[in-house]
Amino acid sequence: MSKHDDYYYIPSGIDSKVASVILDQLNGTSLNTGLVNNGDLNSRNSKVGWISTDHWISGMLSHFIYSANNMYYQYELSSWADKIQYTVYDGEKTGYSWHVDVERSNFQVGHTRKLSISLCLSSQDEYEGGEFQVMINGLMNSKKMNCGDVIVFPSDAMHRVRPLKSGRRISLVGWMGGPNFK
């Protein structure tokens, strides 16, 4: 694990074999156009599906979030704030422009998203472009994620996935919540 000024990076040890098992399990997941609150399709160009928080995959992701939280953030967390998002960027110009993830929890009243997580299931050789970028305190950090890379970051941090130039990038995204910040 390594801490950056704006995110916590975990080389999870998930390799292409484990990613293949995850992808096989998610093969039947219904994918729809990823939408943003204002409906602007220019802001986000991806397909998304949803995974229940009681699926074994969410247990693995929560382990990574709680590890990062214990080592660095120390936020008061209680549970997932929403289902786990299965995200597919497929082809040229697919991506997600600058945004934040802060929203009220869909599971608990009075709770909000506090930490976001992204787990890449694609090898960085499978896509061009598609770098994850996060900005905190005016500093931008960019990372081309590889299969098994995990990034945990504050949900109120501006971040984006740069448009792909080619290929396919698949990730799992989730949000751990807790009582509203005071």
Side-chain angles (χ1 to χ4, degrees):
M1 293 191 240
S2 64
K3 174 210 168 274
H4 295 262
D5 289 337
D6 37 22
Y7 67 83
Y8 204 85
Y9 168 73
I10 303 169
S12 71
I14 293 172
D15 60 13
S16 61
K17 290 178 185 175
V18 176
S20 182
V21 169
I22 294 169
L23 292 170
D24 285 347
Q25 291 239 331
L26 299 178
N27 190 27
T29 303
S30 175
L31 296 175
N32 298 300
T33 300
L35 298 175
V36 292
N37 289 338
N38 63 9
D40 179 7
L41 294 176
N42 293 320
S43 296
R44 182 179 194 178
N45 187 357
S46 65
K47 297 288 185 187
V48 299
W50 299 97
I51 305 165
S52 173
T53 58
D54 62 1
H55 195 284
W56 68 268
I57 291 170
S58 69
M60 176 182 59
L61 293 176
S62 68
H63 165 74
F64 297 134
I65 281 193
Y66 279 111
S67 292
N69 190 55
N70 290 337
M71 296 292 290
Y72 183 59
Y73 298 105
Q74 299 176 356
Y75 289 161
E76 185 179 352
L77 302 176
S78 59
S79 66
W80 289 109
D82 208 330
K83 291 181 178 180
I84 307 302
Q85 182 178 277
Y86 172 53
T87 310
V88 179
Y89 300 97
D90 194 4
E92 187 177 8
K93 298 184 181 178
T94 56
Y96 196 170
S97 65
W98 290 107
H99 65 285
V100 296
D101 291 341
V102 172
E103 287 184 15
R104 285 180 282 145
S105 171
N106 285 322
F107 295 154
Q108 290 191 16
V109 175
H111 285 205
T112 190
R113 292 176 176 179
K114 291 186 172 183
L115 287 178
S116 299
I117 186 169
S118 180
L119 163 63
C120 189
L121 295 175
S122 301
S123 165
Q124 58 187 200
D125 298 334
E126 295 176 37
Y127 65 96
E128 186 178 349
E131 296 87 354
F132 173 84
Q133 295 181 319
V134 63
M135 186 173 303
I136 295 180
N137 298 325
L139 300 172
M140 184 177 66
N141 202 309
S142 184
K143 177 151 186 69
K144 181 158 182 184
M145 295 179 75
N146 202 3
C147 184
D149 285 350
V150 173
I151 292 179
V152 178
F153 58 97
S155 296
D156 62 355
M158 290 290 292
H159 62 284
R160 71 176 177 176
V161 174
R162 293 196 50 188
L164 264 62
K165 296 177 183 173
S166 65
R168 188 173 202 208
R169 179 186 186 277
I170 301 174
S171 60
L172 298 177
V173 177
W175 309 274
M176 191 63 69
N180 293 335
F181 288 109
K182 298 173 186 176

